[in-house]
């Protein structure tokens, strides 16, 4: 079996003007008969910022897990970067998650006794980035979220907002094409949540595609587009006309 470093991913396929992400009649049915997704259709271009909203049980997190190759759909088709899910081998899927996708979760998922620098560096340990270049990429990602002064602190010494900024830096360190954020402000106070959303919007302004899962209306207003889900289906898909703007607290 080839190692991740030996696998080469193909460039973006633009045949038939295929969008960056395309879901067609996606369904997800669990063994107990629960229908989490019921024929979801949508597409996403590179550089978009979409917020996916809906009440608990609406299917929004299930959809994110499928889009991020963390779960597999039951029926329908999912195209990512010009290829369907079934076109990717298991090794390629692992490499896509590491190289082309970044993930930010509500629970942070940091190693508590590990420094900020080491947490952010973790994805690079499984990448094809030359070891001599890794430290510079880690520093750049930490600087991007305004935590240079916390570089050598352990994550257990950080506030909730700082932990989420470390998680964003970790998602950013491989310069992924798309960042998936699942309720990134869910465990934060309003001020910390605002800072997190301003960072995410700034990353989108710099060219990263963002897919945000949220139940908070104010959070979705940082996006360019809002998809609302209910009972496993898309109820509405609209552009945001009055966006909240990042104040960009982190420019030097």
């Amino acid at each position: 079996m080839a190692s991740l470093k030996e696998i080469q991913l193909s460039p973006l396929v633009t045949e038939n003007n295929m969008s960056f992400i395309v879901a067609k009649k996606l369904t997800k049915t669990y063994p107990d008969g629960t229908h989490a997704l019921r024929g979801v259709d949508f597409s996403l271009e590179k550089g978009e910022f979409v917020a996916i909203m809906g009440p608990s049980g609406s299917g929004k997190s299930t959809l994110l897990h499928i889009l991020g190759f963390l779960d597999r759909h039951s029926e329908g088709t999912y195209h990512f970067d010009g290829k369907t899910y079934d076109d990717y081998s298991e090794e390629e899927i692992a490499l896509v998650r590491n190289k082309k996708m970044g993930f930010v979760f509500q629970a942070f998922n940091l190693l508590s006794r590990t420094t900020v620098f080491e947490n952010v560096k973790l994805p690079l340990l499984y990448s094809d980035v030359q070891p001599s270049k890794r430290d510079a990429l880690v520093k750049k990602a930490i600087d991007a979220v305004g935590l240079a002064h916390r570089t050598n602190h352990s994550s257990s010494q950080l506030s909730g907002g700082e932990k989420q900024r470390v998680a964003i830096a970790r998602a950013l360190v491989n310069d992924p094409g798309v960042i998936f954020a699942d309720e990134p402000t869910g465990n934060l106070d309003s001020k910390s949540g605002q800072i997190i959303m301003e960072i995410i919007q700034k990353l989108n302004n710099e060219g990263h595609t963002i897919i945000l899962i949220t139940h908070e209306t104010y959070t979705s207003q940082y996006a360019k587009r809002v998809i609302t889900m209910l009972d496993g289906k898309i109820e509405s898909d609209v552009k945001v006309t009055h966006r909240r703007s990042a104040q960009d607290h982190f420019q030097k």
Side-chain angles (χ1 to χ4, degrees), residues 208-245:
H208 294 277
T209 305
I210 307 291
I211 298 178
L212 168 73
I213 300 298
T214 183
H215 66 276
E216 300 165 328
T217 300
Y218 94 91
T219 303
S220 70
Q221 291 170 349
Y222 286 90
K224 297 175 180 176
R225 173 182 169 194
V226 176
I227 292 175
T228 302
M229 297 189 67
L230 183 66
D231 297 332
K233 298 180 180 180
I234 291 179
E235 192 174 46
S236 65
D237 184 347
V238 299
K239 291 184 178 180
V240 177
T241 54
H242 299 290
R243 295 181 71 198
R244 288 178 179 263
S245 297

Tab-separated table of all heavy atoms in Angstrom, residues 208-245:
chain	number	residue	atom	x	y	z
A	208	HIS	N	-9.909	31.347	0.813
A	208	HIS	CA	-10.314	30.025	1.284
A	208	HIS	C	-11.831	29.847	1.166
A	208	HIS	O	-12.599	30.740	1.519
A	208	HIS	CB	-9.912	29.831	2.750
A	208	HIS	CG	-8.441	29.794	2.973
A	208	HIS	ND1	-7.684	28.657	2.788
A	208	HIS	CD2	-7.570	30.756	3.356
A	208	HIS	CE1	-6.414	28.915	3.050
A	208	HIS	NE2	-6.323	30.192	3.393
A	209	THR	N	-12.243	28.707	0.682
A	209	THR	CA	-13.660	28.347	0.679
A	209	THR	C	-14.047	27.956	2.104
A	209	THR	O	-13.325	27.205	2.766
A	209	THR	CB	-13.918	27.166	-0.273
A	209	THR	OG1	-13.429	27.497	-1.576
A	209	THR	CG2	-15.404	26.826	-0.348
A	210	ILE	N	-15.181	28.473	2.583
A	210	ILE	CA	-15.622	28.200	3.951
A	210	ILE	C	-17.006	27.562	3.933
A	210	ILE	O	-17.923	28.059	3.277
A	210	ILE	CB	-15.702	29.492	4.793
A	210	ILE	CG1	-14.381	30.277	4.744
A	210	ILE	CG2	-16.106	29.159	6.229
A	210	ILE	CD1	-13.229	29.634	5.450
A	211	ILE	N	-17.148	26.455	4.666
A	211	ILE	CA	-18.459	25.848	4.909
A	211	ILE	C	-18.660	25.843	6.418
A	211	ILE	O	-17.944	25.150	7.151
A	211	ILE	CB	-18.555	24.433	4.328
A	211	ILE	CG1	-18.368	24.468	2.810
A	211	ILE	CG2	-19.911	23.801	4.674
A	211	ILE	CD1	-18.396	23.104	2.146
A	212	LEU	N	-19.611	26.642	6.872
A	212	LEU	CA	-19.861	26.854	8.290
A	212	LEU	C	-21.184	26.221	8.701
A	212	LEU	O	-22.212	26.471	8.079
A	212	LEU	CB	-19.897	28.356	8.572
A	212	LEU	CG	-20.426	28.813	9.939
A	212	LEU	CD1	-19.409	28.505	11.036
A	212	LEU	CD2	-20.753	30.304	9.911
A	213	ILE	N	-21.153	25.403	9.746
A	213	ILE	CA	-22.374	24.874	10.341
A	213	ILE	C	-22.684	25.710	11.573
A	213	ILE	O	-21.820	25.889	12.443
A	213	ILE	CB	-22.201	23.397	10.753
A	213	ILE	CG1	-21.861	22.522	9.546
A	213	ILE	CG2	-23.472	22.890	11.441
A	213	ILE	CD1	-22.917	22.481	8.490
A	214	THR	N	-23.885	26.246	11.656
A	214	THR	CA	-24.238	27.080	12.794
A	214	THR	C	-25.748	27.080	13.015
A	214	THR	O	-26.519	26.830	12.091
A	214	THR	CB	-23.742	28.532	12.580
A	214	THR	OG1	-24.034	29.303	13.747
A	214	THR	CG2	-24.407	29.171	11.368
A	215	HIS	N	-26.133	27.359	14.265
A	215	HIS	CA	-27.551	27.573	14.557
A	215	HIS	C	-27.791	29.026	14.949
A	215	HIS	O	-28.900	29.401	15.298
A	215	HIS	CB	-28.016	26.641	15.686
A	215	HIS	CG	-27.372	26.936	17.011
A	215	HIS	ND1	-26.133	26.446	17.354
A	215	HIS	CD2	-27.781	27.683	18.061
A	215	HIS	CE1	-25.819	26.873	18.556
A	215	HIS	NE2	-26.800	27.644	19.012
A	216	GLU	N	-26.729	29.843	14.894
A	216	GLU	CA	-26.797	31.228	15.328
A	216	GLU	C	-26.958	32.173	14.137
A	216	GLU	O	-26.112	32.188	13.239
A	216	GLU	CB	-25.536	31.598	16.113
A	216	GLU	CG	-25.326	30.743	17.357
A	216	GLU	CD	-23.925	30.857	17.923
A	216	GLU	OE1	-22.975	31.046	17.135
A	216	GLU	OE2	-23.780	30.753	19.141
A	217	THR	N	-27.988	32.976	14.160
A	217	THR	CA	-28.248	33.890	13.044
A	217	THR	C	-27.119	34.894	12.866
A	217	THR	O	-26.671	35.149	11.738
A	217	THR	CB	-29.576	34.642	13.259
A	217	THR	OG1	-30.629	33.688	13.357
A	217	THR	CG2	-29.858	35.586	12.104
A	218	TYR	N	-26.602	35.454	13.976
A	218	TYR	CA	-25.561	36.480	13.835
A	218	TYR	C	-24.295	35.886	13.209
A	218	TYR	O	-23.589	36.549	12.442
A	218	TYR	CB	-25.254	37.125	15.200
A	218	TYR	CG	-24.098	36.503	15.947
A	218	TYR	CD1	-22.799	36.982	15.788
A	218	TYR	CD2	-24.291	35.420	16.814
A	218	TYR	CE1	-21.731	36.404	16.468
A	218	TYR	CE2	-23.241	34.849	17.493
A	218	TYR	CZ	-21.957	35.355	17.317
A	218	TYR	OH	-20.909	34.774	17.985
A	219	THR	N	-24.006	34.619	13.515
A	219	THR	CA	-22.834	33.958	12.939
A	219	THR	C	-22.995	33.779	11.443
A	219	THR	O	-22.062	34.016	10.664
A	219	THR	CB	-22.621	32.594	13.611
A	219	THR	OG1	-22.478	32.786	15.021
A	219	THR	CG2	-21.390	31.902	13.075
A	220	SER	N	-24.177	33.383	11.014
A	220	SER	CA	-24.413	33.158	9.580
A	220	SER	C	-24.295	34.442	8.774
A	220	SER	O	-24.042	34.397	7.570
A	220	SER	CB	-25.799	32.541	9.368
A	220	SER	OG	-26.826	33.481	9.650
A	221	GLN	N	-24.451	35.600	9.416
A	221	GLN	CA	-24.406	36.872	8.702
A	221	GLN	C	-22.991	37.252	8.246
A	221	GLN	O	-22.829	38.203	7.486
A	221	GLN	CB	-25.004	37.980	9.576
A	221	GLN	CG	-26.502	37.834	9.778
A	221	GLN	CD	-27.060	38.784	10.821
A	221	GLN	OE1	-26.312	39.426	11.562
A	221	GLN	NE2	-28.382	38.886	10.890
A	222	TYR	N	-21.984	36.509	8.691
A	222	TYR	CA	-20.630	36.727	8.186
A	222	TYR	C	-20.433	36.043	6.837
A	222	TYR	O	-19.474	36.314	6.127
A	222	TYR	CB	-19.601	36.195	9.179
A	222	TYR	CG	-19.420	37.055	10.409
A	222	TYR	CD1	-20.190	36.846	11.544
A	222	TYR	CD2	-18.473	38.079	10.436
A	222	TYR	CE1	-20.024	37.628	12.679
A	222	TYR	CE2	-18.296	38.867	11.558
A	222	TYR	CZ	-19.079	38.640	12.684
A	222	TYR	OH	-18.920	39.428	13.801
A	223	ALA	N	-21.321	35.123	6.491
A	223	ALA	CA	-21.209	34.357	5.253
A	223	ALA	C	-21.732	35.153	4.061
A	223	ALA	O	-22.333	36.225	4.211
A	223	ALA	CB	-21.975	33.047	5.387
A	224	LYS	N	-21.499	34.617	2.869
A	224	LYS	CA	-22.024	35.218	1.643
A	224	LYS	C	-23.340	34.569	1.224
A	224	LYS	O	-24.073	35.112	0.406
A	224	LYS	CB	-21.007	35.054	0.503
A	224	LYS	CG	-19.687	35.765	0.718
A	224	LYS	CD	-18.710	35.452	-0.410
A	224	LYS	CE	-17.379	36.160	-0.210
A	224	LYS	NZ	-16.392	35.781	-1.269
A	225	ARG	N	-23.616	33.423	1.820
A	225	ARG	CA	-24.767	32.612	1.392
A	225	ARG	C	-25.219	31.758	2.565
A	225	ARG	O	-24.369	31.272	3.333
A	225	ARG	CB	-24.315	31.748	0.212
A	225	ARG	CG	-25.271	30.714	-0.311
A	225	ARG	CD	-24.578	29.966	-1.446
A	225	ARG	NE	-25.291	28.790	-1.870
A	225	ARG	CZ	-24.777	27.832	-2.655
A	225	ARG	NH1	-23.539	27.947	-3.087
A	225	ARG	NH2	-25.493	26.784	-3.002
A	226	VAL	N	-26.516	31.606	2.723
A	226	VAL	CA	-27.048	30.802	3.825
A	226	VAL	C	-27.972	29.724	3.275
A	226	VAL	O	-28.943	30.012	2.569
A	226	VAL	CB	-27.821	31.669	4.836
A	226	VAL	CG1	-28.453	30.786	5.906
A	226	VAL	CG2	-26.904	32.700	5.485
A	227	ILE	N	-27.657	28.478	3.609
A	227	ILE	CA	-28.516	27.338	3.290
A	227	ILE	C	-29.212	26.918	4.586
A	227	ILE	O	-28.553	26.669	5.593
A	227	ILE	CB	-27.704	26.172	2.711
A	227	ILE	CG1	-27.157	26.533	1.332
A	227	ILE	CG2	-28.556	24.905	2.628
A	227	ILE	CD1	-26.235	25.483	0.736
A	228	THR	N	-30.534	26.863	4.562
A	228	THR	CA	-31.296	26.438	5.732
A	228	THR	C	-31.844	25.042	5.497
A	228	THR	O	-32.437	24.772	4.455
A	228	THR	CB	-32.460	27.407	6.010
A	228	THR	OG1	-31.929	28.726	6.194
A	228	THR	CG2	-33.208	27.001	7.265
A	229	MET	N	-31.622	24.151	6.480
A	229	MET	CA	-32.069	22.776	6.363
A	229	MET	C	-33.162	22.465	7.371
A	229	MET	O	-33.227	23.040	8.446
A	229	MET	CB	-30.893	21.816	6.558
A	229	MET	CG	-29.807	21.959	5.501
A	229	MET	SD	-28.574	20.638	5.617
A	229	MET	CE	-29.578	19.215	5.148
A	230	LEU	N	-34.020	21.528	7.005
A	230	LEU	CA	-35.084	21.057	7.891
A	230	LEU	C	-35.417	19.621	7.507
A	230	LEU	O	-35.643	19.326	6.332
A	230	LEU	CB	-36.322	21.942	7.773
A	230	LEU	CG	-37.487	21.587	8.710
A	230	LEU	CD1	-37.091	21.839	10.168
A	230	LEU	CD2	-38.729	22.411	8.352
A	231	ASP	N	-35.395	18.748	8.491
A	231	ASP	CA	-35.749	17.339	8.275
A	231	ASP	C	-34.967	16.703	7.127
A	231	ASP	O	-35.511	15.948	6.318
A	231	ASP	CB	-37.250	17.208	8.014
A	231	ASP	CG	-38.093	17.647	9.194
A	231	ASP	OD1	-37.604	17.546	10.341
A	231	ASP	OD2	-39.228	18.112	8.979
A	232	GLY	N	-33.680	17.021	7.049
A	232	GLY	CA	-32.823	16.379	6.056
A	232	GLY	C	-32.907	16.941	4.657
A	232	GLY	O	-32.315	16.385	3.739
A	233	LYS	N	-33.627	18.052	4.492
A	233	LYS	CA	-33.768	18.658	3.167
A	233	LYS	C	-33.365	20.125	3.221
A	233	LYS	O	-33.398	20.754	4.281
A	233	LYS	CB	-35.219	18.556	2.674
A	233	LYS	CG	-35.720	17.140	2.494
A	233	LYS	CD	-37.168	17.156	2.008
A	233	LYS	CE	-37.702	15.746	1.820
A	233	LYS	NZ	-39.123	15.766	1.348
A	234	ILE	N	-32.985	20.663	2.065
A	234	ILE	CA	-32.703	22.092	1.971
A	234	ILE	C	-34.021	22.839	1.832
A	234	ILE	O	-34.778	22.612	0.892
A	234	ILE	CB	-31.769	22.405	0.792
A	234	ILE	CG1	-30.368	21.840	1.075
A	234	ILE	CG2	-31.695	23.916	0.539
A	234	ILE	CD1	-29.366	22.069	-0.031
A	235	GLU	N	-34.272	23.715	2.798
A	235	GLU	CA	-35.513	24.488	2.804
A	235	GLU	C	-35.363	25.795	2.036
A	235	GLU	O	-36.283	26.262	1.375
A	235	GLU	CB	-35.931	24.771	4.247
A	235	GLU	CG	-37.328	25.320	4.401
A	235	GLU	CD	-37.720	25.431	5.858
A	235	GLU	OE1	-36.906	25.943	6.658
A	235	GLU	OE2	-38.830	24.985	6.217
A	236	SER	N	-34.160	26.406	2.128
A	236	SER	CA	-33.895	27.638	1.394
A	236	SER	C	-32.401	27.786	1.159
A	236	SER	O	-31.580	27.200	1.873
A	236	SER	CB	-34.426	28.861	2.159
A	236	SER	OG	-33.731	29.036	3.382
A	237	ASP	N	-32.047	28.567	0.145
A	237	ASP	CA	-30.653	28.805	-0.229
A	237	ASP	C	-30.586	30.233	-0.758
A	237	ASP	O	-30.994	30.508	-1.884
A	237	ASP	CB	-30.221	27.795	-1.296
A	237	ASP	CG	-28.741	27.904	-1.671
A	237	ASP	OD1	-28.097	28.901	-1.300
A	237	ASP	OD2	-28.246	26.977	-2.348
A	238	VAL	N	-30.100	31.163	0.068
A	238	VAL	CA	-30.162	32.583	-0.281
A	238	VAL	C	-28.814	33.265	-0.077
A	238	VAL	O	-27.992	32.835	0.733
A	238	VAL	CB	-31.230	33.315	0.560
A	238	VAL	CG1	-32.609	32.739	0.309
A	238	VAL	CG2	-30.884	33.247	2.046
A	239	LYS	N	-28.599	34.332	-0.815
A	239	LYS	CA	-27.416	35.160	-0.630
A	239	LYS	C	-27.632	36.105	0.551
A	239	LYS	O	-28.753	36.557	0.797
A	239	LYS	CB	-27.128	35.968	-1.894
A	239	LYS	CG	-26.663	35.121	-3.075
A	239	LYS	CD	-26.299	35.998	-4.259
A	239	LYS	CE	-25.778	35.146	-5.414
A	239	LYS	NZ	-25.401	35.986	-6.591
A	240	VAL	N	-26.557	36.387	1.270
A	240	VAL	CA	-26.621	37.328	2.383
A	240	VAL	C	-26.464	38.740	1.816
A	240	VAL	O	-25.460	39.052	1.182
A	240	VAL	CB	-25.517	37.047	3.420
A	240	VAL	CG1	-25.558	38.089	4.543
A	240	VAL	CG2	-25.679	35.644	3.988
A	241	THR	N	-27.458	39.575	2.023
A	241	THR	CA	-27.433	40.927	1.440
A	241	THR	C	-26.779	41.953	2.364
A	241	THR	O	-26.237	42.954	1.907
A	241	THR	CB	-28.862	41.395	1.103
A	241	THR	OG1	-29.682	41.283	2.275
A	241	THR	CG2	-29.455	40.524	-0.003
A	242	HIS	N	-26.846	41.720	3.664
A	242	HIS	CA	-26.238	42.647	4.623
A	242	HIS	C	-25.285	41.859	5.519
A	242	HIS	O	-25.650	41.405	6.605
A	242	HIS	CB	-27.309	43.347	5.460
A	242	HIS	CG	-28.262	44.166	4.654
A	242	HIS	ND1	-27.898	45.349	4.033
A	242	HIS	CD2	-29.558	43.959	4.326
A	242	HIS	CE1	-28.938	45.844	3.382
A	242	HIS	NE2	-29.961	45.016	3.540
A	243	ARG	N	-24.052	41.699	5.049
A	243	ARG	CA	-23.074	40.895	5.770
A	243	ARG	C	-22.455	41.673	6.920
A	243	ARG	O	-22.239	42.880	6.840
A	243	ARG	CB	-21.946	40.460	4.831
A	243	ARG	CG	-22.359	39.523	3.720
A	243	ARG	CD	-21.149	39.165	2.884
A	243	ARG	NE	-20.232	38.279	3.611
A	243	ARG	CZ	-18.962	38.100	3.260
A	243	ARG	NH1	-18.447	38.769	2.242
A	243	ARG	NH2	-18.197	37.275	3.950
A	244	ARG	N	-22.151	40.952	7.998
A	244	ARG	CA	-21.296	41.516	9.031
A	244	ARG	C	-19.883	41.552	8.472
A	244	ARG	O	-19.468	40.648	7.742
A	244	ARG	CB	-21.330	40.649	10.296
A	244	ARG	CG	-22.635	40.732	11.063
A	244	ARG	CD	-22.595	39.807	12.265
A	244	ARG	NE	-23.829	39.895	13.037
A	244	ARG	CZ	-23.980	40.650	14.120
A	244	ARG	NH1	-22.973	41.382	14.555
A	244	ARG	NH2	-25.123	40.684	14.774
A	245	SER	N	-19.124	42.575	8.825
A	245	SER	CA	-17.770	42.732	8.288
A	245	SER	C	-16.734	42.523	9.379
A	245	SER	O	-16.896	43.001	10.512
A	245	SER	CB	-17.590	44.120	7.680
A	245	SER	OG	-18.457	44.296	6.583
